[in-house]
């Protein structure tokens, strides 16, 4: 059995911090589960353009609020605790956080943890003025 605690991951190689988000990798490919699991905080006031061309991802919000806009059509879905969205079509999207948003994300195939942002399909766009939250 694998047991891990987010607070034990902070500050280790299993944590990545970017200008728009920080992610703690609870499970990665090398853990052998067939999916990866991440606890990701999206920072308040940020907008991130994301396109996981090679992965399917499901995201469950446990804290905070924001929205996801699906491209190119532009449907906007509100994100709040209890909401799950699944990128079942490798959907290109904008992720916006109104407050700090804490998300639990799973990927199939699993991330190795070595993906860099562009290869990962993640392109950060800095908000001009992040809001507190
Ligand atoms: C919101 C989101 O896509 N989180 C995924 C986790 C993150 N890209 C990571 O751990 O690399």
């Amino acid at each position: 059995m694998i047991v891990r605690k987010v607070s034990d991951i902070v500050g280790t190689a299993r944590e990545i911090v970017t200008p728009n988000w920080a992610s703690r990798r609870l499970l990665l490919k090398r853990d052998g589960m067939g999916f990866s699991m991440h606890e990701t905080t999206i920072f308040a006031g940020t907008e991130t353009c994301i396109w996981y061309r090679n992965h399917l991802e499901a995201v469950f919000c446990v804290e905070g609020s924001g929205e996801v806009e699906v491209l190119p059509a532009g449907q906007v879905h509100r994100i709040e605790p209890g909401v799950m969205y699944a990128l079942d079509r490798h959907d290109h999207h904008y992720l916006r956080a109104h407050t700090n948003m804490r998300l639990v994300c799973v990927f199939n195939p699993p991330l190795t943890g070595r993906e860099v942002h562009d290869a990962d399909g993640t392109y950060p766009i800095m908000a001009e003025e992040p809001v507190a939250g």
Side-chain angles (χ1 to χ4, degrees):
M1 183 179 290
I2 302 168
V3 178
R4 293 198 176 107
K5 199 171 168 183
V6 168
S7 58
D8 292 338
I9 289 173
V10 172
T12 72
R14 281 182 177 265
E15 180 184 51
I16 178 168
V17 181
T18 80
N20 285 17
W21 49 267
S23 189
R24 288 98 195 201
R25 281 80 177 260
L26 287 156
L27 291 170
L28 287 168
K29 182 175 182 183
R30 62 179 174 272
D31 294 309
M33 293 293 290
F35 57 88
S36 59
M37 175 180 281
H38 312 241
E39 193 221 42
T40 304
T41 296
I42 312 294
F43 300 136
T46 60
E47 173 181 85
T48 308
C49 192
I50 300 175
W51 196 356
Y52 294 115
R53 297 167 211 241
N54 304 310
H55 300 84
L56 298 171
E57 184 195 27
V59 177
F60 180 70
C61 177
V62 293
E63 193 175 303
S65 65
E67 63 185 32
V68 58
E69 176 178 343
V70 188
L71 299 171
Q75 307 102 309
V76 175
H77 304 278
R78 180 172 166 79
I79 301 170
E80 60 189 10
V83 172
M84 184 280 306
Y85 66 88
L87 304 170
D88 61 332
R89 299 182 181 195
H90 301 280
D91 312 73
H92 193 191
H93 60 287
Y94 277 113
L95 186 57
R96 302 187 185 100
H98 300 153
T99 67
N100 275 0
M101 256 193 319
R102 198 156 59 86
L103 309 173
V104 176
C105 319
V106 290
F107 282 85
N108 169 24
L111 294 193
T112 64
R114 292 188 308 276
E115 291 82 0
V116 291
H117 301 169
D118 283 1
D120 200 15
T122 304
Y123 305 98
I125 297 172
M126 290 299 294
E128 293 196 13
E129 276 190 70
V131 296

